[in-house]
């Protein structure tokens, strides 16, 4: 069976590192993006130039019809998806009291509904094959509290709940569902915090550095490996010891 993966939010940051890593491991990769068309297309071109297979597809993961169509487009070109990585995400920084209803709903629409949409789109084939792997990117804030990020943390906790329950449901069909909870990873998402805050976060990390997108990409590749086939329903924290 061919190896085809679909990575949501693959245009930048952690998603881009996941795309590169999976391509190096022999996966054809569907690269989903929302706005960063140029970066997604450049990444797909880079992979093709290196002899890999990749296709960039635009879709808002919160839009069920759009993301399902994007997955079908990738499947028509690269084959049925047997590894799905739900990575698309957005950040938040405001007091709960000031959180607008639209922002609360958007957090759940992107993180929880997004995973619901993509998983339902790839499941029929996985169930038919009795094989497949799903990796959801949550956050350490889905496991622990995060002041000024209540909507973000709550929606990331929803992803953990989805992962555990779905893993139980799908294990008899040999489909594994796992979750990664990254710590602070140096991407556009954290650059906005400013140097002082970033330095304080490094201080709080036992490993003495912030994470890199590659740290998360390696964890995704590990969970996707065939010899990880008894690992399901887990939340793998990749944070240099930050929340120990
Ligand atoms: P970035 O902001 O660097 O990148 C976000 C990616 O998600 C982009 O590719 C963006 O696409 C895409 N995206 C956002 N909204 C949508 C949407 N509605 N539909 C499709 N794609 C979308 O973030 P990171 O790489 O840092 O984060 C990746 C994931 O890791 C997120 O889920 C985040 O919550 C999680 N995470 C990150 C941590 C960190 O410290 N960086 C810590 C813990 C978890 P485009 O550019 O095309 O709009």
């Amino acid at each position: 069976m061919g190896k085809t993966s679909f990575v949501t939010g693959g245009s930048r940051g952690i998603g881009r590192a996941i795309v590169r890593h999976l391509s190096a491991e022999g996966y054809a990769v569907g690269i989903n993006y929302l706005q960063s068309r140029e970066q997604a297309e450049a990444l797909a071109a880079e992979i093709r130039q290196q002899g890999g297979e990749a296709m960039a597809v635009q879709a808002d993961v919160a839009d069920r019809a759009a993301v399902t169509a994007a997955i079908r487009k990738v499947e028509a070109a690269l084959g049925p998806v047997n590894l799905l990585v739900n990575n698309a995400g957005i950040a938040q920084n405001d007091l709960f009291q000031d959180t607008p209803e639209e922002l609360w709903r958007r957090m759940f629409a992107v993180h929880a509904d997004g995973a619901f949409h993509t998983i339902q789109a790839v499941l029929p084939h996985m169930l038919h094959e009795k094989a497949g792997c799903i990796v959801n990117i949550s956050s350490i804030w889905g496991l622990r509290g995060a002041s000024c990020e209540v909507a973000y943390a709550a929606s990331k906790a929803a992803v953990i709940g989805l992962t555990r329950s779905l893993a139980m449901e799908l294990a008899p069909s040999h489909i594994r569902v796992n979750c990664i909870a990254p710590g602070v990873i140096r991407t556009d998402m954290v650059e906005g915090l400013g140097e002082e805050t970033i330095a304080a976060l490094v201080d709080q990390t036992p490993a003495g550095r912030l994470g890199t997108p590659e740290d998360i990409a390696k964890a995704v590749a590990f969970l996707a490996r065939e010899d990880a086939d008894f690992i399901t329903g887990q939340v793998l924290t990749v944070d240099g010891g930050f929340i120990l």
Side-chain angles (χ1 to χ4, degrees), residues 8-15 32-37 59-62 86-90 106 110-111 137-140 152 156 181-190:
T8 69
S11 50
R12 294 186 288 118
I14 293 171
N32 159 252
Y33 66 95
L34 179 62
Q35 291 174 319
S36 304
R37 178 164 192 266
D60 181 345
V61 295
N86 280 308
N87 162 79
I90 46 173
R106 183 68 181 156
V110 174
H111 299 141
I137 308 297
S138 178
S139 166
I140 51 170
Y152 178 82
K156 288 294 189 178
V184 187
I185 310 296
R186 200 126 194 200
T187 67
D188 295 344
M189 195 175 266
V190 300

Side-chain angles (χ1 to χ4, degrees), residues 51-213:
E53 286 184 278
M55 181 183 199
V57 280
Q58 196 279 337
D60 181 345
V61 295
D63 181 338
R64 183 183 181 89
V67 76
T68 302
I71 289 172
R72 296 290 169 258
K73 213 165 143 185
V74 165
E75 290 185 328
L78 306 178
V81 172
N82 32 47
L83 169 61
L84 169 67
V85 184
N86 280 308
N87 162 79
I90 46 173
Q92 173 201 16
N93 183 14
D94 51 10
L95 291 169
F96 180 75
Q97 190 59 35
D98 299 332
T99 301
E101 184 178 345
E102 312 82 68
L103 179 65
W104 175 270
R105 298 209 183 282
R106 183 68 181 156
M107 285 287 158
F108 280 81
V110 174
H111 299 141
D113 299 3
F116 172 64
H117 297 152
T118 56
I119 294 169
Q120 282 202 334
V122 302
L123 256 190
H125 176 76
M126 288 184 178
L127 286 167
H128 181 262
E129 295 296 316
K130 287 210 177 321
C133 181
I134 297 165
V135 180
N136 298 318
I137 308 297
S138 178
S139 166
I140 51 170
W141 305 137
L143 289 164
R144 298 284 163 91
S147 168
C148 296
E149 296 186 73
V150 175
Y152 178 82
S155 63
K156 288 294 189 178
V159 171
I160 291 173
L162 179 157
T163 300
R164 290 184 173 136
S165 299
L166 189 60
M168 290 183 81
E169 201 172 303
L170 295 179
S173 302
H174 308 288
I175 299 165
R176 297 183 300 111
V177 192
N178 287 292
C179 199
I180 292 172
V184 187
I185 310 296
R186 200 126 194 200
T187 67
D188 295 344
M189 195 175 266
V190 300
E191 286 310 324
L193 296 173
E195 282 308 319
E196 213 171 297
T197 308
I198 289 176
L201 289 166
V202 172
D203 269 357
Q204 290 167 50
T205 307
R209 66 168 176 89
L210 295 190
T212 64

